[in-house]
Amino acid sequence: MEVKLISCFFVLDSEKNDNIRKNDIQKVKVLVTKNKELPSIDFDGTGMKKQLKKYLSNIVNTDIFHLEQVFTMDDQNGVRILYLGITNIENIINLKEDYQLIDFKVKDNNTITFGEESYRYQTVEVEGNNNIEYFHKIDVDDMDIRRTLLSLLISYKKIRGSVDSSDILFKFMGSSFSLEDVRILYETIKDSTVDKSNFRKKIVKYCEKIETKEQVKSGFRPSQKYRFKPLKEDIWI
């Protein structure tokens, strides 16, 4: 039986905002080949996570990223095992030339943005044997694209389902960040808005203040910067 390890590798990127009063514009991107396929490798019989991490490290030229198994999918020829990867763009110094980072977004629970294209989808609940399963029907004829989008959607929903109960947001952050950066990312992933004050109280336990040498622009003091303070030692594994 063929076992293929599939990587759904999300990267937080940003671009400068023309309005200096506001934070930089954050974008979640996904790592794909030049043909927009997900990085994948055949399992060689050794440790799955260790093998995939080595493979991805060679692509992004860093081993500073989070990696976890999220789902197993049956395939005609065997099994596809999905792994979720997360990092910040500052950790990727030299991306291997056969790969690229393209925009990814899930909006209104019915639209996926993948690069320059958008695709509609519907989530269907199916009840059986005292259990409810969820299936995503994606409106695209190309089976390869559908499979790629399904893998990404499952992994992205794993992130979305974990942001309120874990420190997964901080796996997107760079070496320093503001509390506003974290809130903006949260709202992007959840596709919703939150109360700023309550949100800051919730996440500050993961944050440690740091001093920076940022210059004050046009009389405005830069936002207080923080670094991640793990509550348990399970980060970057």
Side-chain angles (χ1 to χ4, degrees), residues 11-178:
V11 179
L12 181 63
D13 198 356
S14 64
E15 59 184 48
K16 291 296 181 182
N17 197 321
D18 292 336
N19 187 342
I20 63 173
R21 292 173 179 262
K22 296 186 177 181
N23 285 42
D24 293 342
I25 300 169
Q26 296 186 2
K27 290 186 175 181
V28 174
K29 297 188 175 182
V30 65
L31 176 68
V32 294
T33 68
K34 292 298 184 182
N35 295 325
K36 294 187 178 180
E37 298 172 347
L38 297 176
S40 64
I41 190 172
D42 293 329
F43 178 48
D44 65 7
T46 60
M48 289 185 182
K49 187 174 181 179
K50 183 177 180 180
Q51 180 190 351
L52 185 59
K53 184 161 188 176
K54 181 178 179 181
Y55 170 69
L56 290 171
S57 296
N58 184 53
I59 295 173
V60 298
N61 199 31
T62 183
D63 60 359
I64 304 177
F65 55 84
H66 172 75
L67 190 64
E68 65 175 285
Q69 184 178 326
V70 294
F71 199 73
T72 300
M73 307 173 69
D74 291 330
D75 201 2
Q76 288 183 336
N77 300 319
V79 174
R80 293 163 54 88
I81 301 179
L82 300 185
Y83 273 82
L84 166 65
I86 300 173
T87 195
N88 188 278
I89 191 66
E90 77 173 31
N91 298 319
I92 301 179
I93 308 301
N94 293 304
L95 186 63
K96 201 170 182 179
E97 62 180 12
D98 294 334
Y99 294 82
Q100 60 181 328
L101 294 171
I102 63 174
D103 291 347
F104 184 85
K105 183 186 298 183
V106 177
K107 192 74 176 173
D108 300 326
N109 284 320
N110 61 23
T111 305
I112 302 170
T113 297
F114 182 58
E116 298 179 353
E117 303 294 331
S118 292
Y119 303 87
R120 302 280 291 182
Y121 78 93
Q122 180 183 12
T123 301
V124 180
E125 294 183 6
V126 177
E127 185 175 359
N129 299 322
N130 296 319
N131 188 36
I132 296 178
E133 294 188 59
Y134 297 90
F135 296 91
H136 305 297
K137 295 183 177 180
I138 302 174
D139 188 15
V140 57
D141 294 329
D142 189 305
M143 290 298 296
D144 291 334
I145 295 178
R146 182 184 299 171
R147 179 182 293 173
T148 294
L149 293 175
L150 178 59
S151 298
L152 289 170
L153 184 59
I154 291 171
S155 299
Y156 195 78
K157 294 238 176 195
K158 166 66 175 178
I159 299 172
R160 181 177 282 184
S162 300
V163 294
D164 289 311
S165 59
S166 75
D167 57 13
I168 198 167
L169 281 176
F170 296 94
K171 302 182 192 304
F172 282 98
M173 294 294 126
S175 56
S176 67
F177 53 85
S178 69

